[in-house]
Amino acid sequence: MDLLSVLTCRLEIVDDSVSSKDLVDRIVARGPREEPLHLVELDTVVKRHYDWLRHLPRVHPFYAIKSNDDETIVDTLLLLGCGFDCASKAECNRILELGVNRERIIFAQPSKTIESLLYAKEKGLRTVFDSDYELRKIHQYYPEAEVLIRYRFDSQQSIVNLGVKFGCDPGKEAGELLVLAKELGINVVGWAFHTGTGCSDPEIFYDAIKMGRRITDYATSQGFSFKYIDIGGGFHGKKDVGIQFYAVHINRALDEFFPDDQRWTIIAEPGRYYCSAPVTSVIPVHGKRVFRSAENPTRIEKVFYYFNDGIYGTFYNAKYRNVPVEPIIWKKRSECGPVLSTFFFGPTCDGNDVFASNIPLPELNISDYVVFENQGAYAKVNACRFNGFCFPKPVVFISKSGWKLLEAVTSAANPNPLVLESKHLQRNSKLEKLVFETRS
Ligand SMILES: Cc1ncc(COP(=O)(O)O)c(C=O)c1O
């Protein structure tokens, strides 16, 4: 079966007039389930891809599959022509088995197991390094590899700093590693960096690429001929942050420091950019506990709600990465109770399984639904079966025009993606928030 036919079995195609709100209503109408549900709107994936092509025409996106490995998202990006950033042998294998050419894969793991290095050799994959140990390992097990040197260039305004773990110092250490690579005869073909995931500081891309120019010049002086540039991930994925936020700084840097279009292959490794906004978590309240004032028992001091999803499911980020949840109560304000100090708990017996604390919200009842947008990144992939609860289950939709676009991309001999997009994609998948109560 071809990929489109496989995809059709996993999703529902809806009229273009069906809004995000309608889709949430459909899920709510199905009634409470044991498993938490993730509404996945593939139109948003498609839309973000075309935004990328339009605003960053020189940069090929290689989707960081670690951020959300849902098969419909991966397949859609594959159909759209994305490349893939893989962190492990298993991820590389999955993407290769989908028939992706190895040129569309970067094995962007700076510290690889020997087994995965041998696998990369067998498949001829490009990879990265950031230490002398990794270089020597590459020399021993995959000496013919094309490799990128990953240097550290951290944003102080990111959700997770990756530089604390990976990336050589771009100054002295990078120079020493390049000298060692030359001695070992390793083919270093370019560089990579990652500003940190969820980077709110777009100008840093300019400085990071400028640093890449210095490293390139040093590499040239050592006899290397760089051709490959990897600007990593880090782009926000929320519905209200587009790629334009970063593109102006990236394009300016590329035009200034790497103007030769023919020479450079430029890639990025966006993860959350693609997968955060398409996913909306839709979960019912299944338990409630109120705490009353000792002096005045009619006064409720705080209220706990229990859900079938928590920090061992979708809401790991809220707990450990300081990303506060923004609940939308799926009910008219007039039907809710008074505003109370509210706590949201997951289903497990762990007292730590709390993903919102002391937020003011109108009072809810059992079986009321709460909806959370932008929940696709580093959420379901972090979920585990602690206490026997279920993984979030994706419920996937695409509009008729979105589907036609995928068909057109697949069948066109020489598709001009932007022309196809303007012909097909019209649906706006933002939730009409004003209809609902948000925080208070
Ligand atoms: C090497 C590498 N590339 C890309 C990504 C994706 O980052 P983001 O989701 O911020 O785009 C990560 C995230 O950890 C990463 O480690």
Side-chain angles (χ1 to χ4, degrees), residues 153-155 158 160-162 193-197 199 204-205 208 231 233-234:
F153 216 93
D154 301 339
S155 162
S158 62
V160 185
N161 179 329
L162 304 180
F193 64 80
H194 196 303
T195 62
T197 186
C199 167
I204 195 160
F205 281 91
I231 64 169

Side-chain angles (χ1 to χ4, degrees), residues 300 333 336-342 359-363 437 439-440:
I300 296 176
R333 176 70 183 92
C336 299
V339 171
L340 298 172
S341 163
T342 300
I359 54 170
L361 276 186
E363 188 176 5
E437 192 54 48
R439 269 143 295 176
S440 63

Side-chain angles (χ1 to χ4, degrees), residues 290-301:
V290 295
F291 296 81
R292 296 174 188 280
S293 147
E295 297 85 54
N296 175 7
T298 60
R299 193 167 69 81
I300 296 176
E301 285 187 330

Side-chain angles (χ1 to χ4, degrees), residues 5 35 65 80 128 154 173 200 242 310 323:
S5 318
E35 68 270 14
I65 182 176
L80 291 170
V128 303
D154 301 339
E173 195 183 6
S200 301
V323 184

Side-chain angles (χ1 to χ4, degrees), residues 65-98:
I65 182 176
K66 64 174 83 66
S67 56
N68 186 329
D69 63 356
D70 176 81
E71 42 201 1
T72 52
I73 293 179
V74 171
D75 290 355
T76 301
L77 288 171
L78 173 58
L79 286 171
L80 291 170
C82 236
F84 292 90
D85 152 28
C86 300
S88 60
K89 179 183 166 193
E91 285 188 352
C92 294
N93 198 39
R94 175 171 168 193
I95 295 301
L96 283 167
E97 284 195 342
L98 285 169

Side-chain angles (χ1 to χ4, degrees), residues 231-251:
I231 64 169
F235 318 98
H236 272 293
K238 289 175 74 164
K239 286 182 180 175
D240 49 8
V241 187
I243 199 62
Q244 300 90 313
F245 183 56
Y246 305 92
V248 52
H249 305 285
I250 295 169
N251 291 333

